[in-house]
Amino acid sequence: MKQSVLVACALLVAVAACGSNETSAPPVAKPTLTLARDRAAIGSPLKMQYKFEVAGNAAFDGDYAVFVHIAGPDGETLWQDDHKPTVPTSQWKPGQTIEYERTVFVPNYPYIGDATIRIGLYNPDGGGRLPLDAPEVGLQEYEVAKLSILPQAENIYLIYREGWHGAEVDPTNPLNEWQWTKKVA
């Protein structure tokens, strides 16, 4: 009887270890995200400064993309800004610091309140993710900043009058939109 209980306990420990979400691989980089401001109205621009301190033992087996999820208090993704870093990860060297800036517009989403910004590195071809040195919320997704989303302000709405070409949209990320001037705008 004691032996069968001991075997059952050992089996439970082994099964629990196999189902663990912890990664055994060391982190490849320490991510930091600095926001120009921690409060932004719907429709307003938000400047985001990314910094990755590459670990001394890091090795990349290809070019990974950065996923950026802005999540509400329940963890649901409100919007995202997946992108490729300015220096491809296949060119990151151990001990190197990669820094770049992006400006996104807070989309017209039916939510006002606090949000967290979570990032990670993923392989766009196979979907695999890499471990990072930051507080993990699960599935190699890491919390790096907080943001308060405010109601849309009337003075932020853009109106393009004469002198502009029609809007163009990035086919890989519909949140990226731009317009070109006709040189008379």
Side-chain angles (χ1 to χ4, degrees):
M1 176 82 170
K2 282 186 179 182
Q3 188 175 17
S4 61
V5 169
L6 186 57
V7 169
C9 287
L11 185 58
L12 284 173
V13 168
V15 169
C18 289
S20 173
N21 284 339
E22 290 187 32
T23 59
S24 59
V28 296
K30 179 181 177 107
T32 307
L33 176 64
T34 305
L35 303 174
R37 59 183 191 268
D38 61 357
R39 298 165 44 97
I42 290 173
S44 69
L46 180 61
K47 191 183 299 185
M48 306 169 86
Q49 178 74 34
Y50 293 89
K51 179 178 176 182
F52 291 90
E53 296 173 43
V54 183
N57 59 348
F60 297 89
D61 60 352
D63 287 326
Y64 284 74
V66 178
F67 69 81
V68 182
H69 296 166
I70 293 76
D74 59 358
E76 181 181 342
T77 300
L78 304 173
W79 83 86
Q80 60 191 54
D81 180 38
D82 295 7
H83 62 274
K84 293 182 180 178
T86 55
V87 176
T89 57
S90 61
Q91 297 176 21
W92 291 11
K93 307 281 187 259
Q96 184 181 22
T97 298
I98 306 297
E99 292 186 80
Y100 60 95
E101 186 177 284
R102 288 176 61 85
T103 299
V104 299
F105 283 81
V106 178
N108 190 4
Y109 191 85
Y111 175 77
I112 308 285
D114 294 331
T116 59
I117 302 177
R118 303 169 175 183
I119 69 172
L121 294 175
Y122 75 97
N123 182 334
D125 297 325
R129 295 181 176 185
L130 294 176
L132 297 175
D133 182 12
E136 185 176 0
V137 294
L139 302 174
Q140 293 180 325
E141 187 171 16
Y142 304 89
E143 185 174 316
V144 291
K146 295 190 180 296
L147 173 69
S148 290
I149 301 170
L150 305 174
Q152 184 172 10
E154 294 287 328
N155 61 349
I156 297 176
Y157 187 73
L158 299 176
I159 298 174
Y160 292 93
R161 297 185 186 243
E162 293 181 40
W164 292 90
H165 291 283
E168 294 182 38
V169 178
D170 182 348
T172 61
N173 184 353
L175 293 178
N176 288 339
E177 183 179 291
W178 61 91
Q179 286 191 254
W180 298 94
T181 178
K182 293 180 179 178
K183 298 184 181 180
V184 292

